[in-house]
Amino acid sequence: MSVIEGLQTAAYDKEVVVFLIGMRVNKLRAWRQWVPVAKAMVPMLRELTADPDSGLLGFRSFAGRRTTTMLQYWESSEKLQAFANDPDRTHRPAWSAFYKLAAQGNNVGIWHETYVVPPGNFETVYRSMPLLGLGEVAGVVPVNRRGRNAAERLAHQSK
């Protein structure tokens, strides 16, 4: 990953849906319950990234000792819900399998949060960083094109 020099901001000016999803291993020895949950995300991401119309803009994973979190950016909540609820896509079978595992106890937990962010209601800044977050999704432009500070960049986006 090459570092982009200087102070940059994401070249993104549309609504974005920020979706956080994760799992927590509550009992390490109960691997038969949590390994299938951990493995379920890979086919979903493969399916979504292979389909440019899926609505998934980008993602990044953060692994901890017991908890894994994924940050996803989506075009719209409608596209996120369409994927989640489509019986012919990978999410529904994974969700059903999780509920069967959940009936066996609280050995693994899952969570998610969804934030719909209208245009002009987010601000980004990157200094001497590789492409990351919305900058990775849409590319970057020099910060001074949108303002010298966060308040100015937010005001610029809402115009």
Side-chain angles (χ1 to χ4, degrees), residues 7 18 25 28 30 34 36 57 69 75 86 90 97 117-118 145 158:
L7 199 56
V18 179
V25 175
L28 290 171
W34 61 262
L57 298 171
T69 300
E75 287 178 20
D86 187 337
T90 52
V117 186
R145 288 195 191 168
S158 61

Side-chain angles (χ1 to χ4, degrees), residues 49-150:
T49 55
D51 178 6
D53 294 326
S54 68
L56 179 68
L57 298 171
F59 64 91
R60 184 163 301 271
S61 295
F62 305 92
R65 202 180 88 171
R66 288 181 175 253
T67 303
T68 300
T69 300
M70 179 172 289
L71 166 65
Q72 297 180 349
Y73 297 100
W74 286 78
E75 287 178 20
S76 69
S77 58
E78 291 81 14
K79 288 193 174 189
L80 172 59
Q81 292 299 314
F83 172 72
N85 295 312
D86 187 337
D88 297 325
R89 311 258 340 228
T90 52
H91 178 264
R92 292 297 290 191
W95 188 244
S96 296
F98 171 75
Y99 267 102
K100 288 177 186 170
L101 289 171
Q104 297 174 25
N106 64 353
N107 300 318
V108 61
I110 60 169
W111 64 278
H112 77 259
E113 298 176 0
T114 307
Y115 302 93
V116 178
V117 186
N121 287 277
F122 58 87
E123 185 268 341
T124 63
V125 66
Y126 313 94
R127 181 176 185 91
S128 301
M129 289 288 298
L131 291 176
L132 186 76
L134 281 178
E136 186 175 20
V137 166
V140 294
V141 296
V143 150
N144 60 6
R145 288 195 191 168
R146 293 205 168 136
R148 292 172 302 202
N149 57 45

Side-chain angles (χ1 to χ4, degrees), residues 21-41:
I21 185 167
M23 67 165 266
R24 182 177 192 279
V25 175
N26 295 322
K27 294 184 182 167
L28 290 171
R29 286 183 269 177
W31 60 270
R32 285 191 177 112
Q33 279 79 45
W34 61 262
V35 167
V37 176
K39 286 183 172 182
M41 186 58 74

